[in-house]
């Protein structure tokens, strides 16, 4: 287990605030924290579980800050809670059941996947917007529940980019909701997907607690900041920057791992 210097913890606190804000806006902040934790000396598995726990606080504080947008959304959200929680736990179990070498091998691929999804976000939103104008679907039904379960499973296993995936699915089903309302629901699902897996990791996984605690505290600060910014600035430039940085990080992680 890596030992952190005071300077490293201070830098991680700054990163945690930024990532807490980015998760509220773009939903891909883990593409930054995960590579940073690896750069600070953690192996990919420890970095993953520590990151999963650490970003949960920011997702929760963002959810609280989005309470205005979530007003009236809770009846629909309740239908998503069980598949999101179940998927998160299944993903965490898969992560812990497989040898750590498996995750170490695919971690760069997962970072690259999350980065590509983030970079494709403008195109995805354009397609989603067109379908929303024609669709009559609502956030109910077997297909919707399965999609929520699968995204949460990915969130429990790794999780970078789940905010974008949740937003895409929500946009197709909740066609009458505003972008900010969808951001609020997305924050609830992110908090649940990271939180259920993170709770399990607290007891049975190798966690770097110094790094995790710093991320928890700084994320609490960053989440509401991100909500405030989400109401004022376009998210597309941020997502593009995160995606490019994520692709670079994927290459660096692959070099370090192999």
């Amino acid at each position: 287990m890596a030992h952190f210097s005071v300077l490293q913890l201070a830098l991680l606190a700054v990163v945690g605030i930024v990532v807490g804000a980015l998760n509220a806006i773009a939903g891909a902040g883990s593409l930054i924290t995960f590579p940073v934790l690896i750069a600070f000396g953690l192996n990919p598995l420890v970095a993953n579980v520590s990151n999963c726990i650490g970003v949960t606080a920011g997702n929760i504080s963002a959810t609280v800050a989005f309470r205005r947008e979530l007003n009236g959304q809770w009846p629909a959200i309740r239908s998503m809670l069980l598949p999101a929680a179940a998927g998160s736990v299944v993903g965490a179990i898969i992560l812990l059941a497989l040898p750590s070498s498996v995750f170490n091998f695919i971690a760069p691929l997962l970072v690259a996947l999350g980065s590509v999804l983030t970079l494709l976000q403008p195109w995805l939103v354009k397609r989603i917007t067109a379908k929303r104008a024609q669709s009559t679907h609502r956030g109910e039904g077997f297909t919707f529940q399965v999609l929520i379960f699968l995204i949460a499973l990915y969130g429990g296993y790794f999780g970078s980019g789940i905010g974008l995936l949740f937003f895409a699915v929500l946009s197709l089903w909740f066609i009458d909701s505003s972008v900010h309302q969808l951001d609020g629901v997305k924050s609830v699902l992110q908090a649940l997907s990271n939180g259920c897996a993170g709770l399990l990791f607290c007891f049975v996984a190798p966690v770097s607690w110094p790094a995790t605690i710093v991320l928890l505290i700084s994320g609490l600060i960053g989440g509401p900041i991100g909500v405030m910014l989400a109401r004022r600035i376009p998210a597309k430039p941020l997502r593009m920057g995160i995606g490019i940085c994520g692709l670079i990080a994927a290459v660096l992680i692959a070099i370090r791992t192999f």
Side-chain angles (χ1 to χ4, degrees):
M1 193 74 70
H3 296 282
F4 295 92
S5 67
V6 174
L7 177 59
Q8 285 177 319
L9 292 176
L11 290 173
L12 190 59
V14 174
V15 171
I17 293 173
V18 172
V19 166
L22 290 176
N23 274 334
I25 300 170
S30 292
L31 289 173
I32 296 176
T33 43
F34 179 68
V36 167
L37 290 173
I38 290 178
F40 283 176
L42 298 183
N43 70 53
L45 179 62
V46 176
N48 184 42
V49 299
S50 302
N51 182 54
C52 182
I53 301 169
V55 300
T56 300
N59 291 329
I60 293 173
S61 65
T63 297
V64 174
F66 269 126
R67 61 188 177 276
R68 185 176 72 199
E69 287 78 9
L70 289 170
N71 186 35
Q73 301 292 315
W74 289 105
I77 292 173
R78 280 194 287 271
S79 70
M80 310 176 211
L81 297 182
L82 181 59
S88 174
V89 172
V90 171
I93 291 173
I94 292 173
L95 175 68
L96 297 176
L98 294 176
S100 60
S101 58
V102 174
F103 180 80
N104 293 348
F105 177 78
I106 66 174
L109 299 177
L110 292 173
V111 173
L113 173 63
S115 302
V116 170
L117 288 173
T118 303
L119 288 170
L120 290 177
Q121 191 271 345
W123 178 80
L124 290 172
V125 167
K126 184 177 180 181
R127 293 292 301 271
I128 288 167
T129 301
K131 288 186 178 182
R132 284 178 69 181
Q134 305 171 5
S135 176
T136 58
H137 290 296
R138 293 296 185 270
E140 299 175 355
F142 180 74
T143 301
F144 179 79
Q145 302 293 333
V146 169
L147 289 172
I148 294 296
F149 173 85
L150 291 175
I151 296 170
L153 186 152
Y154 170 68
Y157 186 83
F158 183 58
S160 292
I162 58 170
L164 171 64
L165 297 176
F166 279 132
F167 186 88
V169 171
L170 292 169
S171 295
L172 285 173
W173 263 262
F174 293 89
I175 61 174
D176 297 323
S177 299
S178 70
V179 170
H180 295 316
Q181 286 175 322
L182 295 179
D183 269 337
V185 178
K186 175 206 72 181
S187 291
V188 175
L189 295 175
Q190 282 185 144
L192 195 61
S193 297
N194 289 132
C196 291
L199 183 62
L200 179 61
F201 293 151
C202 286
F203 298 99
V204 297
V207 180
S208 173
W209 285 110
T212 300
I213 291 171
V214 168
L215 287 176
L216 283 168
I217 295 172
S218 56
L220 279 173
I221 300 170
I225 294 174
V227 173
M228 180 183 66
L229 294 174
R231 293 171 177 151
R232 291 171 170 80
I233 64 174
K236 187 165 91 169
L238 292 175
R239 288 190 176 100
M240 295 297 287
I242 292 170
I244 293 170
C245 290
L247 287 176
I248 296 171
V251 174
L252 294 176
I253 292 171
I255 292 173
R256 185 182 185 276
T257 303
F258 301 113

